[in-house]
């Protein structure tokens, strides 16, 4: 009997070790690691029910809103639970995951996923995996995968299967592996999901921003996007979720006009369910932001995001009553550190920009990234700490 019991204990121990090792490989090694994974992973490191505001959507959020600055200016905690090119089909899962892990005073949804001109992004495996691969296995993730109904369902449930031969991503992947492990050892992130840079967009006489403030022309959403938007709205209404929908500011060109009109249509649908919709593409303040506050037509740079964070933060405080939060001493220490880190990194980047020869940092060349060597990014904790240290030591 004793021999049988010992053998059982050894077997259970072995299974436990194998399980833990498999989880380690799936979460840290045999996976695709980029800033999206760091951000979503960082969200789940936040203490349960410690976030006052959670913003969800696509890249406009993490490039346009800084939680560290918002905490410094307004005293509330926040996080952009967002990934690049996130799909409309993921929106409901995002809200459910926010509700599962936090009890925010306010959820803010940026509507970009619902206003794509077609549904091709919904079938883009990269767009899907940037979000869902980093979500812990649970009811919401499984429900989303069932809705996707992919042929390779097991690869979505256990991404390890998909990435078992991803060694070719290294050593380049080390850039993100180190900060991923670091934020787990630390227990929290410093930038709280924020990512931007100091590049700037070029002037173009074709920008329509000033002309569109009073334009209420509408265009239909794709049937799929409208279905998913209404699905989210109905769920939020039935569950009495305090939620606000908005459209982030952009530099509008003629080619973007259809999306602008779709945004008007989305806003009308949202309001029909009794929810607020804030369209910053028709706000005289944000539509007067000059091109140098953007690093491309869709994303604010570090300077633009600082302005927008203060503007949106004041709306969150004044209109929706989200003020200074109550935190434990440890939570306060962490958020004070995050605010201090953001401020130091912002100042470092600003100092470096001022030291750069005039004209060296101008328009971001997205087609030829090698031409952006003078651009400085605010986006990953370890690189930022290194940048601050090097800059301070050079003074």
């Amino acid at each position: 009997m004793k021999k049988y019991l010992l053998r059982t204990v050894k077997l259970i121990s072995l299974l436990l070790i194998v399980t833990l090792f498999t989880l380690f490989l799936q979460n840290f090694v045999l996976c695709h690691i980029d800033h999206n994974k760091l951000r979503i992973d960082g969200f789940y490191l936040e203490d349960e029910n410690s976030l006052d505001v959670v913003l969800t959507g696509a890249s406009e959020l993490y490039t346009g809103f800084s939680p560290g600055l918002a905490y410094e200016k307004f005293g509330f905690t926040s996080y952009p639970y967002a990934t690049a090119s996130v799909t409309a089909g993921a929106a409901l899962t995002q809200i459910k995951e926010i509700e599962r892990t936090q009890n925010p005073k306010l959820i803010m949804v940026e509507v970009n996923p619902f206003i794509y001109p077609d549904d091709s992004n919904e079938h883009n495996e990269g767009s899907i995996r940037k979000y869902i691969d980093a979500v812990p296995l649970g009811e919401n993730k499984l429900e989303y995968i069932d809705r996707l109904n992919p042929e390779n369902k097991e690869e979505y449930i256990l991404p390890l299967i998909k990435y078992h031969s991803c060694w070719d991503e290294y050593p380049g992947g080390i850039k993100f592996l180190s900060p991923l492990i670091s934020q787990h050892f630390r227990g929290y992130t410093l930038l709280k999901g924020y990512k931007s840079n100091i590049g700037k967009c070029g002037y173009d006489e074709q920008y329509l921003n000033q002309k569109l403030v009073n334009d209420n022309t509408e265009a239909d959403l794709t049937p799929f996007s409208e279905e998913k938007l209404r699905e989210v709205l109905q769920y939020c209404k039935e569950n009495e979720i305090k939620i606000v929908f908005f459209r982030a500011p952009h530099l509008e060109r003629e080619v973007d006009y259809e999306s602008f009109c779709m945004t008007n249509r989305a806003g009308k649908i949202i309001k029909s369910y009794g929810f607020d919709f804030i369209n910053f593409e028709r706000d005289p303040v944000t539509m007067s932001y000059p091109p140098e506050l953007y690093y491309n037509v869709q994303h604010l740079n570090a300077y633009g995001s600082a302005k927008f964070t203060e503007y949106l933060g004041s709306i969150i405080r004044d209109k929706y009553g989200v003020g200074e939060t109550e935190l434990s001493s440890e939570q306060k220490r962490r958020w004070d550190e995050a605010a201090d880190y953001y401020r130091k990194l912002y100042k470092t980047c600003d100092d470096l920009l001022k030291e750069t020869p005039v004209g060296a940092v101008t328009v971001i060349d997205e087609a030829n990234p090698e031409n952006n060597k003078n651009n400085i990014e605010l986006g990953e904790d370890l690189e930022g700490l290194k940048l601050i240290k090097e800059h301070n030591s050079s003074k």
Side-chain angles (χ1 to χ4, degrees), residues 201-212 251-256 290-291 297:
C201 201
Y203 280 92
D204 187 333
E205 294 179 2
Q206 302 305 311
Y207 292 143
L208 306 176
N209 290 39
Q210 296 297 319
K211 301 177 181 178
L212 298 180
L251 289 174
E252 299 292 339
R253 304 158 298 173
E254 192 67 41
V255 71
D256 305 309
V297 295

Side-chain angles (χ1 to χ4, degrees), residues 226-341:
E226 181 166 339
E227 176 190 339
K228 293 304 173 185
L229 176 59
R230 291 185 182 276
E231 183 181 78
V232 166
L233 291 165
Q234 189 61 38
Y235 174 83
C236 293
K237 187 173 184 178
E238 290 175 356
N239 290 275
E240 299 181 343
I241 295 173
K242 189 170 183 182
I243 193 165
V244 173
F245 296 79
F246 73 102
R247 178 62 169 154
H250 301 78
L251 289 174
E252 299 292 339
R253 304 158 298 173
E254 192 67 41
V255 71
D256 305 309
Y257 186 64
E258 182 182 5
S259 293
F260 171 86
C261 296
M262 293 172 77
T263 297
N264 284 335
R265 174 60 180 158
K268 187 174 182 179
I269 295 171
I270 290 163
K271 290 177 180 178
S272 74
Y273 281 77
F275 295 105
D276 284 357
F277 176 67
I278 307 172
N279 191 349
F280 290 108
E281 288 188 338
R282 294 182 60 186
D283 185 314
V285 174
T286 51
M287 290 302 271
S288 67
Y289 287 174
E292 58 260 31
L293 292 184
Y294 295 80
Y295 71 81
N296 63 27
V297 295
Q298 295 180 325
H299 303 101
L300 293 163
N301 62 22
Y303 302 104
S305 64
K307 287 181 72 71
F308 185 63
T309 297
E310 293 197 37
Y311 188 54
L312 180 56
S314 65
I315 293 172
I316 292 170
R317 178 195 62 193
D318 299 339
K319 186 172 183 178
Y320 298 105
V322 181
E324 190 168 338
T325 191
E326 292 185 13
L327 299 171
S328 69
S329 58
E330 174 59 18
Q331 289 171 337
K332 185 177 186 306
R333 183 194 68 78
R334 291 180 177 186
W335 276 96
D336 286 344
E337 182 183 3
D340 182 63
Y341 175 69

Side-chain angles (χ1 to χ4, degrees), residues 16-299:
L16 181 61
I17 291 171
V18 170
T19 300
L20 291 174
F21 183 65
T22 301
L23 289 174
F24 174 80
L25 288 176
Q26 177 165 285
N27 290 321
F28 295 97
V29 183
L30 299 183
C31 58
H32 177 71
I33 309 176
D34 63 3
H35 65 86
N36 296 290
K37 181 173 175 61
L38 290 177
R39 185 176 309 104
I40 298 301
D41 180 81
F43 172 80
Y44 291 104
L45 291 177
E46 294 294 319
D47 289 348
E48 185 176 346
N49 300 329
S50 66
L51 295 173
D52 298 313
V53 180
V54 181
L55 305 95
T56 185
S59 53
E60 292 91 338
L61 289 181
Y62 59 77
T63 60
F65 188 85
S66 168
L69 178 59
Y71 174 76
E72 179 186 271
K73 294 292 183 179
F74 305 103
F76 61 73
T77 58
S78 57
Y79 201 99
Y81 186 63
T83 55
S85 304
V86 72
T87 64
L92 184 59
T93 302
Q94 288 181 308
I95 292 170
K96 287 183 176 181
E97 278 293 287
I98 292 168
E99 288 288 297
R100 180 181 71 82
T101 56
Q102 299 290 331
N103 183 29
K105 298 171 185 175
L106 185 67
I107 296 175
M108 301 199 74
V109 177
E110 209 285 332
V111 298
N112 186 75
F114 303 103
I115 60 170
Y116 289 115
D118 57 52
D119 296 329
S120 59
N121 190 56
E122 295 298 320
H123 311 292
N124 185 310
E125 186 177 5
S127 297
I128 295 169
R129 286 190 175 277
K130 283 173 187 175
Y131 169 62
I132 201 61
D133 278 1
V135 176
L137 187 61
E139 181 181 354
N140 294 329
K141 180 169 184 171
L142 292 174
E143 180 185 73
Y144 175 59
I145 294 170
D146 282 340
R147 290 202 308 269
L148 280 176
N149 194 28
E151 292 182 4
N152 51 343
K153 184 180 290 188
E154 69 282 354
E155 292 185 359
Y156 284 90
I157 295 173
L158 292 174
L160 172 72
I161 301 172
K162 167 74 174 178
Y163 301 109
H164 69 279
S165 59
C166 73
W167 299 107
D168 60 334
E169 292 199 10
Y170 296 94
I174 296 294
K175 173 185 176 182
F176 294 106
L177 176 59
S178 298
L180 179 63
I181 293 175
S182 175
Q183 67 188 32
H184 273 265
F185 273 105
R186 188 188 305 115
Y188 55 96
T189 67
L190 296 176
L191 280 175
K192 305 296 182 183
Y194 173 69
K195 180 183 185 296
S196 192
N197 64 62
I198 62 170
K200 62 182 180 181
C201 201
Y203 280 92
D204 187 333
E205 294 179 2
Q206 302 305 311
Y207 292 143
L208 306 176
N209 290 39
Q210 296 297 319
K211 301 177 181 178
L212 298 180
V213 172
N214 297 312
D215 189 335
N216 57 11
T217 307
E218 295 180 16
D220 289 337
L221 311 184
T222 70
F224 179 86
S225 291
E226 181 166 339
E227 176 190 339
K228 293 304 173 185
L229 176 59
R230 291 185 182 276
E231 183 181 78
V232 166
L233 291 165
Q234 189 61 38
Y235 174 83
C236 293
K237 187 173 184 178
E238 290 175 356
N239 290 275
E240 299 181 343
I241 295 173
K242 189 170 183 182
I243 193 165
V244 173
F245 296 79
F246 73 102
R247 178 62 169 154
H250 301 78
L251 289 174
E252 299 292 339
R253 304 158 298 173
E254 192 67 41
V255 71
D256 305 309
Y257 186 64
E258 182 182 5
S259 293
F260 171 86
C261 296
M262 293 172 77
T263 297
N264 284 335
R265 174 60 180 158
K268 187 174 182 179
I269 295 171
I270 290 163
K271 290 177 180 178
S272 74
Y273 281 77
F275 295 105
D276 284 357
F277 176 67
I278 307 172
N279 191 349
F280 290 108
E281 288 188 338
R282 294 182 60 186
D283 185 314
V285 174
T286 51
M287 290 302 271
S288 67
Y289 287 174
E292 58 260 31
L293 292 184
Y294 295 80
Y295 71 81
N296 63 27
V297 295
Q298 295 180 325
H299 303 101

